[in-house]
Amino acid sequence: MEKNKFRVVVPMFIRIINSVMLSFGACMCLAIVIFVPKLFMRITCLISALAEILVTFFYVFFNVIVEEDKIKIRNHFGKKFTISLSEITKVKCYYVNRQLFMLRYNIDIFADGKKVKISSDMMNFNKVALYLIDNYDNGVINSGAINKTCRIELEQYSKIQTVKSKDK
């Protein structure tokens, strides 16, 4: 089997822009908490600021590294775990129609109670689809994990032009 190693992450410019915007929103909400005397407004803005800070963690911490026959994940809370390809029980392919923007394609990988969600706005999304197809065809991934429609969608996903990574 050929050596496969690549990272699947949200592109850096998206991470930076979202982090700055969410941080600004959190600061504005905290300023309202400090200067507005009404308790309800203070509580609402405090909850909003905390939510914006937590959403920032998704962009900063989430990371998927595919290497050989393992998928290493660091979720948005910083927890790390590894999934072996032979442990994969199900692969689910679907898309979400975001009307204002575009279609977002998703791949959910399930293994031993763990779930990894990879979306088309991440770098190397098409490589993950191709990687899953190759390992499914080689018999490394359980034959019942990917159904026919998901296999067809993975082939389409592998042809999608995603954000270019700087990996060579």
Side-chain angles (χ1 to χ4, degrees):
M1 182 169 65
E2 65 182 32
K3 291 189 175 188
N4 286 309
K5 183 174 181 178
F6 54 89
R7 294 178 66 187
V8 183
V9 294
V10 175
M12 184 59 75
F13 67 91
I14 292 177
R15 285 195 270 177
I16 291 171
I17 290 170
N18 283 332
S19 296
V20 168
M21 288 174 54
L22 292 171
S23 298
F24 178 74
C27 289
M28 292 301 293
C29 288
L30 290 174
I32 290 172
V33 167
I34 294 170
F35 296 113
V36 174
K38 294 185 179 181
L39 182 63
F40 177 74
M41 186 77 149
R42 284 182 157 186
I43 292 172
T44 305
C45 286
L46 187 60
I47 291 171
S48 175
L50 291 174
E52 288 177 1
I53 290 168
L54 287 175
V55 168
T56 303
F57 283 135
F58 172 78
Y59 293 104
V60 174
F61 288 119
F62 185 77
N63 189 8
V64 177
I65 298 175
V66 177
E67 130 181 314
E68 295 296 322
D69 64 339
K70 292 185 176 150
I71 301 174
K72 297 178 182 180
I73 300 104
R74 183 179 67 201
N75 67 11
H76 48 276
F77 294 114
K79 182 180 176 187
K80 295 180 181 180
F81 56 93
T82 303
I83 294 176
S84 175
L85 290 178
S86 59
E87 296 174 352
I88 293 177
T89 56
K90 184 178 181 182
V91 176
K92 182 180 173 186
C93 303
Y94 60 98
Y95 66 91
V96 177
N97 187 1
R98 301 183 326 181
Q99 294 176 353
L100 295 176
F101 303 105
M102 61 183 175
L103 289 175
R104 174 189 271 173
Y105 301 98
N106 297 310
I107 301 172
D108 289 351
I109 302 170
F110 298 90
D112 294 336
K114 300 172 186 167
K115 176 184 171 185
V116 180
K117 182 177 182 177
I118 300 171
S119 63
S120 59
D121 56 355
M122 295 178 172
M123 289 189 297
N124 295 323
F125 173 78
N126 51 359
K127 286 185 182 180
V128 171
L130 193 58
Y131 176 76
L132 289 171
I133 290 171
D134 289 344
N135 286 300
Y136 178 73
D137 291 342
N138 293 335
V140 179
I141 296 176
N142 182 6
S143 62
I146 301 176
N147 61 26
K148 289 181 183 178
T149 55
C150 184
R151 170 111 168 69
I152 292 168
E153 288 182 27
L154 284 173
E155 286 179 3
Q156 292 173 350
Y157 295 171
S158 67
K159 297 172 186 167
I160 292 174
Q161 289 294 326
T162 58
V163 178
K164 301 286 185 198
S165 67
K166 293 183 180 178
D167 299 338
K168 292 185 179 181

